[in-house]
Amino acid sequence: MKIIIHGGFFSESSTNHETKVAKQNALEEIVKDSYAFLKTHSALETVVYAVSLLENDELFNAGIGSQIQSDGKIRMSAAIMDGETQKMSGVINIEEVKNPIQVAQILMQYDDRVLGGSGATNFARQHGFESFSTEIPQRRAEYEAKLKSLGTGTVGCVALDQNGKIAVATSTGGKGFEIPGRISDSATVAGNYANAICGVSLTGVGEDIVSNATAAKIVTRVTDGFTLQEAFTKTFNELKPYDGFAGAIAIDDKGNMFHQDSHPSMVFASFDGNNFEVFE
């Protein structure tokens, strides 16, 4: 059993040491809590659990603490993928829901598994998700002062359970000040992808990640015989011609974990019951 999570990017130029330590502590608590959950639950259930905890922490740009778009509204996206069944479900530009990843989880039961905009929000209401404002004062101050974010905030989780099953989940509050209707990578196979061999979750600039089909490429290459490191190296090299901004976490069916970013520094943590690692 292994688990790895990410919480977007950390920039020394825009966040302070106290924030860095707070994120390290939060990621350690969440990854270890989620590992304990993994002991008695499937990989699919665990990635939803872990990402829900990340959505509930305003340190990260997903769920509570999501960025505000150019029209003053918050719209979020999230997706999960089951490596065993190859089913992916997600919500795009959903509004006023505390945990978009949990709405994506319910959609896994339906034939129409990816919903956007008002359709996603209405589906959530019909399934008991009450209206919930995810705005925090910091985001409103940033919006009103027109301080653009780096656009690199997303959370994600990849888990390998005791039965060797892999699942992945990714959630984002957007890049901030985007045009309403923008589609991020998080609810696409470029940012969130898994099969029985490998699972990958991305963070970074969604347009760069989609242009490179990053998650799907890494998983396909591992499936075709590349090691995780080889798959990451080749795929991240393909971001270089346009200076693509991305970070990724992954686990394969052999229990290997890997992470890489194209620019400093993705915040992440991993745990296998004995060995713990967190970004520095």
Side-chain angles (χ1 to χ4, degrees), residues 90-109:
V91 292
I92 298 170
N93 289 329
I94 195 169
E95 296 183 45
E96 295 191 325
V97 170
K98 183 179 181 182
N99 294 110
I101 197 65
Q102 294 177 16
V103 183
Q105 182 182 29
I106 292 175
L107 274 167
M108 188 71 78
Q109 305 166 25

Side-chain angles (χ1 to χ4, degrees), residues 52-67:
S52 294
L53 294 178
L54 289 161
E55 288 176 335
N56 292 343
D57 193 322
E58 65 182 47
L59 284 169
F60 306 106
N61 176 24
I64 296 172
S66 292
Q67 296 281 355

Side-chain angles (χ1 to χ4, degrees), residues 25-277:
N25 291 339
L27 289 172
E28 178 175 4
E29 181 177 349
I30 289 170
V31 78
K32 289 184 176 179
D33 187 356
S34 299
Y35 182 85
F37 185 88
L38 180 61
K39 289 180 178 179
T40 54
H41 295 82
S42 70
L44 189 66
E45 292 169 325
T46 301
V47 294
V48 173
Y49 179 80
V51 169
S52 294
L53 294 178
L54 289 161
E55 288 176 335
N56 292 343
D57 193 322
E58 65 182 47
L59 284 169
F60 306 106
N61 176 24
I64 296 172
S66 292
Q67 296 281 355
I68 301 173
Q69 297 189 350
S70 60
D71 63 350
K73 294 183 178 181
I74 291 173
R75 297 178 180 89
M76 302 162 287
S77 297
I80 59 173
M81 189 161 183
D82 185 338
E84 180 183 19
T85 65
Q86 290 271 264
K87 282 186 177 181
M88 179 176 175
S89 61
V91 292
I92 298 170
N93 289 329
I94 195 169
E95 296 183 45
E96 295 191 325
V97 170
K98 183 179 181 182
N99 294 110
I101 197 65
Q102 294 177 16
V103 183
Q105 182 182 29
I106 292 175
L107 274 167
M108 188 71 78
Q109 305 166 25
Y110 290 78
D111 292 333
D112 302 329
R113 291 194 295 273
V114 181
L115 298 181
S118 60
T121 303
N122 291 339
F123 178 88
R125 299 288 178 263
Q126 292 165 8
H127 287 79
F129 290 83
E130 297 180 356
S131 179
F132 182 94
S133 174
T134 56
E135 182 182 308
I136 59 173
Q138 176 190 340
R139 297 301 188 213
R140 176 54 58 179
E142 290 170 351
Y143 175 78
E144 292 180 350
K146 296 184 178 178
L147 298 175
K148 282 199 173 184
S149 74
L150 290 175
T152 54
T154 299
V155 302
C157 176
V158 187
L160 173 69
D161 65 26
Q162 57 191 335
N163 296 315
K165 304 296 173 51
I166 295 171
V168 57
T170 309
S171 181
T172 185
K175 67 179 183 178
F177 300 96
E178 62 264 62
I179 298 171
R182 171 194 179 256
I183 305 299
S184 78
D185 65 289
S186 298
T188 75
V189 296
N192 184 88
Y193 197 71
N195 64 12
I197 307 299
C198 182
V200 178
S201 175
L202 267 290
T203 181
V205 175
E207 286 75 8
D208 294 350
I209 293 166
V210 168
S211 293
N212 191 43
T214 308
K217 277 185 177 179
I218 292 172
V219 172
T220 299
R221 284 167 172 160
V222 173
T223 303
D224 288 345
F226 282 55
T227 65
L228 270 181
Q229 183 169 353
E230 290 169 344
F232 268 74
T233 297
K234 184 172 180 60
T235 306
F236 271 75
N237 281 341
E238 291 165 350
L239 287 164
K240 291 180 179 178
Y242 54 94
D243 194 30
F245 200 128
I249 58 173
I251 301 178
D252 68 18
D253 61 341
K254 300 178 180 64
N256 299 307
M257 291 190 285
F258 200 79
H259 59 85
Q260 185 173 335
D261 46 37
S262 62
H263 295 68
S265 295
M266 178 178 64
V267 306
F268 73 93
S270 63
F271 190 56
D272 64 3
N274 295 306
N275 301 303
F276 167 73
E277 184 182 7

